[in-house]
Amino acid sequence: GDSVTQMEGPVTLSEEAFLTINCTYTATGYPSLFWYVQYPGEGLQLLLKATKADDKGSNKGFEATYRKETTSFHLEKGSVQVSDSAVYFCALSVSGSARQLTFGSGTQLTVLP
Amino acid sequence: KAGVTQTPRYLIKTRGQQVTLSCSPISGHRSVSWYQQTPGQGLQFLFEYFSETQRNKGNFPGRFSGRQFSNSRSEMNVSTLELGDSALYLCASTSGGGSQETQYFGPGTRLLVL
């Protein structure tokens, strides 16, 4: 079945450091890929998405590129801020069924001032 | 546009009771999906409703059920609660079509079963 594997956390960085959170996937079809972020005590917020190979999703300084050859969708940010501290989830949906997302286990990011 | 709303935000129940959670999707969205989030199992898909019909169901026991009304609002019900049902229950509504479909999540209902 479809699955998403995320880099184990937690990740602790200093403010202005470079962030990478690895995400790889297994899917039978041609999935759309998503990154969601969850702040403490809140639901999930869509951070960015990509719907086909070589697409780059970007938002709020975060970027991720859909790499079909490596089945990856790594999240990157050039300079993190304390306000980026949250849990990040990588997710996929097989074409036509985005209403059923398969999530990775989440990566806790803490950014220290 | 208002986002996805869920009520109540917090709930405490005892084993054996039943509970009903409510979700109002973003205006115009007709699809509502439900997820359970626990520290051990992570985020797991429960079911999805579209135009009052359940279209997909995850691997959960029959104690978990749902429905959707003509105005797209949805409820999920858990009967005979168990301690393991303690979780954050998230509702999401879907915009777009085909590969452009995107889910937008509500803040969740945190259920504690004692």
Side-chain angles (χ1 to χ4, degrees):
Chain A
D2 300 339
S3 66
V4 176
T5 302
Q6 262 185 259
M7 161 182 183
E8 291 287 327
V11 174
T12 302
L13 297 173
S14 297
E15 204 164 23
E16 299 184 5
F18 184 85
L19 168 70
T20 299
I21 300 178
N22 290 337
C23 171
T24 58
Y25 67 89
T26 302
T28 52
Y30 297 95
S32 294
L33 301 173
F34 304 84
W35 278 100
Y36 283 87
V37 59
Q38 186 174 36
Y39 297 99
E42 297 184 11
L44 299 175
Q45 296 179 24
L46 177 65
L47 184 58
L48 53 84
K49 70 175 185 179
T51 59
K52 60 183 187 299
D54 300 325
D55 267 2
K56 177 186 281 188
S58 61
N59 185 28
K60 300 181 182 179
F62 291 90
E63 293 183 340
T65 301
Y66 189 140
R67 301 286 188 200
K68 188 180 176 189
E69 63 276 13
T70 54
T71 62
S72 65
F73 193 54
H74 305 321
L75 182 68
E76 296 182 335
K77 187 176 185 182
S79 176
V80 294
Q81 305 300 311
V82 172
S83 57
D84 294 327
S85 298
V87 182
Y88 292 80
F89 291 92
C90 185
L92 69 80
S93 68
V94 175
S95 179
S97 60
R99 310 172 197 98
Q100 181 172 349
L101 291 166
T102 299
F103 286 91
S105 56
T107 301
Q108 170 77 56
L109 170 66
T110 301
V111 181
L112 302 176
Chain B
K1 254 187 190 178
V4 178
T5 59
Q6 292 187 245
T7 56
R9 292 292 309 276
Y10 303 93
L11 208 47
I12 300 176
K13 293 286 188 179
T14 56
R15 277 181 300 174
Q17 287 187 308
Q18 74 166 16
V19 66
T20 299
L21 312 181
S22 181
C23 170
S24 292
I26 293 171
S27 178
H29 291 188
R30 295 164 62 192
S31 168
V32 173
S33 300
W34 289 89
Y35 294 82
Q36 182 196 63
Q37 184 178 24
T38 60
Q41 299 298 317
L43 281 152
Q44 294 184 285
F45 173 78
L46 278 157
F47 31 63
E48 183 241 346
Y49 285 86
F50 181 85
S51 293
E52 303 178 64
T53 301
Q54 186 183 90
R55 293 203 297 189
N56 283 312
K57 190 177 192 317
N59 189 25
F60 279 82
R63 299 184 299 106
F64 291 82
S65 63
R67 60 177 175 168
Q68 187 179 33
F69 302 95
S70 58
N71 62 357
S72 295
R73 189 177 70 85
S74 177
E75 291 181 345
M76 68 163 281
N77 184 275
V78 188
S79 62
T80 319
L81 284 165
E82 301 177 358
L83 295 180
D85 297 333
S86 294
L88 180 67
Y89 290 88
L90 293 164
C91 165
S93 68
T94 303
S95 71
S99 63
Q100 299 304 315
E101 288 181 344
T102 303
Q103 290 197 351
Y104 297 90
F105 284 79
T109 294
R110 189 165 294 280
L111 171 65
L112 177 61
V113 181
L114 302 176

